[in-house]
Amino acid sequence: MNLWLPKPSPVRFVLAVLPLLFIGVAIWLWGHMSARVALGSFDTGLYLLGLAFMLALVLVGLLAYMAWCAFSMRYTLDRQHLRLRCGFVTHVVPLASIVDVRGPGDLFQNKIAEVRWKGVAGVVPGYVVGEGVSPQWGRVVAVATQPASGQVFVVTPGATFGLSPQNSLAFMKQLNERRDLDITDDVEAKAHTHMSGIGAWGMALWSDRLARGLFLAGLVLNALLFVYLSFVYADLPVRLALHWNAQAQVDRIGDPIELLSLPVFALGVWLANALVGWWVLKRERAATLFLLAGGVAAQIVFTAGVLSIVVRAI
């Protein structure tokens, strides 16, 4: 057998239902937002409804991805590699790099394996995907449906991989047999991670710490601009001065709703810069950082414009 499935976990069915639940919540919030807009009410309450709606959509996407990861989890053995797949991520472990294999409950240094998981790994029972630190194994990367005490640990020099095949003993037997048959001369082979699909599309940008910081900074500044407008919108006059000429004379007056176009346009600039920055990242990192910094600068410029209009109007 080359393909091994993880031990079944009821949590994947729960994860499959939760996105449908939040889709219903998003539809309900959209109905309330539409009714409020029809009444011409643009205030803090509408902003909070919009924020809750966006959060519900984010949760739908996140939970749907987690459900897909849970259903796509599998382990593959060939003559030279062990592959652990979950969603867009595949951990490739050369058999030549494996120095030890320990089964569930095996003692190491007179202790059962203990892992302190990072982030959300280990938080959801039956979905242990992520990284952790173990006093026995050091850095641990888990793709499993069982806690640390029920995982098979595949130890390599750089990291230890935790997995939970349905038949642990049979899996370990086949893995050790493949290790004995492995004729790879590359003793420097190291485990690595392969991204596929949309995950590979954004991995280059997201893995660059400075680029990721600039990317998120632009988005946060834009969100704060929307927050600010939601709190001051109700106090704006019915007719609003929107532009001044070189002599500081008002040359354009409009409805306050036109003010909302500024953060929308700023969001468009941020998105366009982010897309172009992602496209040129492999060719010229400096250009990517320049574009992302430009997206941040655009948020600052549009925020200054909004403030100048609002301060003069109130």
Side-chain angles (χ1 to χ4, degrees):
M1 178 189 293
N2 294 324
L3 177 64
W4 296 79
L5 297 177
K7 292 181 179 178
S9 171
V11 73
R12 62 180 182 176
F13 297 103
V14 176
L15 290 173
V17 171
L18 285 177
L20 300 177
L21 174 63
F22 278 97
I23 287 175
V25 172
I27 293 173
W28 179 80
L29 289 169
W30 181 261
H32 278 265
M33 288 171 57
S34 300
R36 201 155 187 149
V37 170
L39 296 175
S41 176
F42 295 90
D43 53 18
T44 304
L46 180 61
Y47 166 75
L48 294 176
L49 283 172
L51 185 62
F53 174 75
M54 294 302 298
L55 180 60
L57 292 182
V58 170
L59 288 173
V60 168
L62 178 61
L63 291 170
Y65 177 70
M66 290 180 65
W68 178 59
C69 287
F71 279 96
S72 65
M73 193 183 300
R74 61 199 61 204
Y75 320 115
T76 307
L77 271 172
D78 58 33
R79 289 181 60 85
Q80 295 183 346
H81 300 92
L82 164 65
R83 290 179 169 85
L84 291 69
R85 181 191 172 190
C86 182
F88 296 123
V89 181
T90 301
H91 301 287
V92 182
V93 184
L95 300 185
S97 70
I98 299 175
V99 298
D100 196 7
V101 179
R102 295 296 180 106
D106 285 357
L107 297 179
F108 182 78
Q109 298 177 348
N110 297 321
K111 292 182 179 180
I112 297 177
E114 300 175 358
V115 182
R116 184 173 67 255
W117 302 109
K118 299 178 181 179
V120 298
V123 174
V124 181
Y127 183 80
V128 187
V129 177
E131 293 193 13
V133 178
S134 168
Q136 293 91 1
W137 315 118
R139 176 173 173 256
V140 176
V141 178
V143 181
T145 58
Q146 302 295 312
S149 59
Q151 294 180 20
V152 173
F153 288 100
V154 177
V155 186
T156 72
T160 295
F161 295 87
L163 51 156
S164 56
Q166 289 185 4
N167 191 330
S168 299
L169 294 178
F171 172 82
M172 292 173 61
K173 179 181 178 181
Q174 185 182 49
L175 177 58
N176 287 320
E177 289 175 350
R178 294 292 176 91
R179 291 175 62 199
D180 293 338
L181 293 174
D182 181 39
I183 57 174
T184 303
D185 295 327
D186 186 9
V187 295
E188 299 295 330
K190 295 182 180 179
H192 60 278
T193 301
H194 171 70
M195 300 290 294
S196 60
I198 195 173
W201 185 83
M203 183 64 179
L205 182 64
W206 194 253
S207 59
D208 187 309
R209 180 175 297 181
L210 182 55
R212 182 173 68 243
L214 291 171
F215 176 86
L216 292 176
L219 183 60
V220 169
L221 288 175
N222 187 264
L224 290 176
L225 181 54
F226 274 105
V227 171
Y228 172 73
L229 279 176
S230 71
F231 280 98
V232 302
Y233 190 89
D235 297 326
L236 295 176
V238 177
R239 304 298 293 171
L240 185 67
L242 297 174
H243 194 268
W244 292 260
N245 58 24
Q247 289 73 42
Q249 298 173 333
V250 177
D251 59 4
R252 184 183 174 192
I253 296 177
D255 192 282
I257 197 171
E258 294 185 43
L259 195 59
L260 298 178
S261 64
L262 294 181
V264 171
F265 192 78
L267 181 61
V269 172
W270 169 84
L271 181 59
N273 282 24
L275 290 174
V276 177
W278 164 81
W279 184 69
V280 302
L281 180 58
K282 293 183 179 179
R283 300 167 179 80
E284 183 57 61
R285 178 174 180 265
T288 296
L289 297 179
F290 178 80
L291 286 164
L292 293 175
V296 174
Q299 309 311 310
I300 296 174
V301 170
F302 279 96
T303 299
V306 169
L307 288 174
S308 67
I309 294 174
V310 173
V311 169
R312 295 183 185 187
I314 296 179

